[in-house]
DNA sequence: TAGGCCATCTGGTCCT
DNA sequence: AGGACCAGATGGCCTA
């Protein structure tokens, strides 16, 4: 019985450490995600969903950069968090006078319906728009 | 006060 | 056998 208990306590310790490592990784992920306000702390689920979306936005920007070849306007992908995260909630923004404004990004959504759900606007911290602003140097690689 | 988020404990399962 | 991983249960804290 005593052995069983000490084994359980050891297991508890390992589990605690494992979760701490998981949380550290989540914190590291939070640090590289742009939030507004900057000190707003995303919950775990928000962090994962936003990271998923953010990665999509970055890769989408690279794709647009390829299409735009030669365009010199800065590019900005904007997510309107006041609406569900479907393709219509994302827009590609650039100067009105530019020919770069006519393209629309593909949706981050795939065939699975749960992926349509990455970003829930009910969020406490990020009530307005999230601007994923990419520097021109990066946009036109 | 209800609901959301979180940390921790726990037992089960899988892997080495 | 022991460790890693996972999911359910529980209780504390915070906010609307």
């Amino acid at each position: 019985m005593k052995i069983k208990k000490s084994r359980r306590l050891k297991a508890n310790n390992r589990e605690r450490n494992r979760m701490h490592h998981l949380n550290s990784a989540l914190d590291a992920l939070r640090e590289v995600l742009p939030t507004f306000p900057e000190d707003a702390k995303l919950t775990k689920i928000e962090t994962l969903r936003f990271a998923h979306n953010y990665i999509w936005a970055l890769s989408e920007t690279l794709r647009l950069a390829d299409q735009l070849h030669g365009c010199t306007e800065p590019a900005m992908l904007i997510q309107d968090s006041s609406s569900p995260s479907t393709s219509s909630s994302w827009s590609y923004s650039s100067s009105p006078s530019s020919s770069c404004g006519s393209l629309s990004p593909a949706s981050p959504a795939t065939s699975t319906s749960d992926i349509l759900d990455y970003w829930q606007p009910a969020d406490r911290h990020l009530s307005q728009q999230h601007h994923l602003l990419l520097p021109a140097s990066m946009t036109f690689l």
Side-chain angles (χ1 to χ4, degrees):
Chain A
M1 192 47 89
K2 200 173 178 182
I3 293 177
K4 218 174 180 181
K5 185 168 183 181
S6 84
R7 196 177 288 174
R8 187 63 259 178
L9 290 179
K10 273 174 76 179
N12 289 351
N13 245 326
R14 284 194 303 272
E15 177 66 8
R16 217 178 301 132
N17 284 331
R18 197 180 69 84
M19 294 309 294
H20 287 169
H21 281 123
L22 186 62
N23 287 338
S24 297
L26 223 35
D27 282 339
L29 182 57
R30 280 188 188 102
E31 279 183 23
V32 299
L33 292 176
T35 59
F36 181 81
E38 263 186 46
D39 59 342
K41 189 184 178 186
L42 298 174
T43 66
K44 292 180 176 182
I45 187 68
E46 286 166 354
T47 301
L48 292 175
R49 285 187 170 136
F50 192 21
H52 182 281
N53 243 6
Y54 189 47
I55 290 168
W56 171 82
L58 291 176
S59 44
E60 190 62 22
T61 299
L62 289 177
R63 189 182 69 79
L64 290 170
D66 275 349
Q67 287 183 15
L68 290 172
H69 220 70
C71 172
T72 56
E73 295 294 328
M76 181 165 58
L77 278 169
I78 298 175
Q79 181 186 26
D80 180 1
S81 63
S82 64
S83 62
S85 199
T86 62
S87 59
S88 62
S89 68
W90 287 86
S91 60
Y92 177 77
S93 168
S94 65
S95 161
S97 62
S98 162
S99 60
C100 310
S102 58
L103 292 173
S104 61
S107 167
T110 68
S111 57
T112 54
S113 60
D114 58 324
I115 293 187
L116 290 173
D117 195 34
Y118 338 79
W119 189 257
Q120 292 301 321
D123 173 66
R124 314 180 305 292
H125 308 300
L126 305 165
S127 56
Q128 300 301 314
Q129 276 191 332
H130 302 296
H131 295 253
L132 304 182
L133 179 57
L134 304 173
S137 59
M138 178 178 174
T139 304
F140 304 106
L141 287 176

